[in-house]
Tab-separated table of all heavy atoms in Angstrom:
chain	number	residue	atom	x	y	z
A	11	GLU	N	71.244	-75.410	75.666
A	11	GLU	CA	72.007	-74.340	75.075
A	11	GLU	C	71.689	-74.288	73.595
A	11	GLU	O	71.587	-75.308	72.933
A	11	GLU	CB	73.485	-74.449	75.315
A	11	GLU	CG	73.862	-74.427	76.758
A	11	GLU	CD	75.308	-74.491	77.211
A	11	GLU	OE1	75.952	-74.746	76.019
A	11	GLU	OE2	75.771	-74.399	78.209
A	12	PRO	N	71.624	-73.025	72.982
A	12	PRO	CA	71.315	-72.950	71.492
A	12	PRO	C	72.526	-73.648	70.687
A	12	PRO	O	73.644	-73.416	71.080
A	12	PRO	CB	71.302	-71.478	71.236
A	12	PRO	CG	71.989	-70.837	72.346
A	12	PRO	CD	71.814	-71.669	73.649
A	13	GLN	N	72.128	-74.377	69.663
A	13	GLN	CA	72.996	-74.978	68.669
A	13	GLN	C	73.494	-73.977	67.631
A	13	GLN	O	72.789	-73.125	67.258
A	13	GLN	CB	72.423	-76.131	67.910
A	13	GLN	CG	71.782	-77.362	68.874
A	13	GLN	CD	71.240	-78.432	68.076
A	13	GLN	OE1	71.040	-78.410	66.971
A	13	GLN	NE2	70.887	-79.517	68.889
A	14	GLN	N	74.738	-74.166	67.244
A	14	GLN	CA	75.349	-73.240	66.326
A	14	GLN	C	75.203	-73.867	64.905
A	14	GLN	O	75.412	-75.080	64.660
A	14	GLN	CB	76.850	-73.158	66.525
A	14	GLN	CG	77.139	-72.368	67.929
A	14	GLN	CD	78.651	-72.190	68.091
A	14	GLN	OE1	79.511	-72.756	67.374
A	14	GLN	NE2	79.064	-71.400	69.167
A	15	VAL	N	74.650	-72.943	63.887
A	15	VAL	CA	74.361	-73.373	62.525
A	15	VAL	C	75.498	-72.930	61.791
A	15	VAL	O	75.872	-71.705	61.699
A	15	VAL	CB	73.074	-72.747	61.996
A	15	VAL	CG1	72.956	-73.244	60.580
A	15	VAL	CG2	71.889	-73.328	62.915
A	16	GLN	N	76.029	-73.837	60.980
A	16	GLN	CA	77.269	-73.573	60.092
A	16	GLN	C	76.760	-73.063	58.836
A	16	GLN	O	76.065	-73.848	58.189
A	16	GLN	CB	78.264	-74.695	59.980
A	16	GLN	CG	78.837	-75.033	61.369
A	16	GLN	CD	79.865	-76.268	61.142
A	16	GLN	OE1	79.867	-76.817	60.136
A	16	GLN	NE2	80.467	-76.555	62.279
A	17	VAL	N	77.062	-71.919	58.303
A	17	VAL	CA	76.642	-71.477	57.061
A	17	VAL	C	77.825	-71.559	55.999
A	17	VAL	O	78.910	-71.083	56.320
A	17	VAL	CB	76.240	-69.926	57.106
A	17	VAL	CG1	75.874	-69.380	55.716
A	17	VAL	CG2	75.087	-69.745	58.025
Side-chain angles (χ1 to χ4, degrees):
E11 295 182 0
Q13 298 180 354
Q14 293 183 352
V15 178
Q16 295 182 354
V17 179

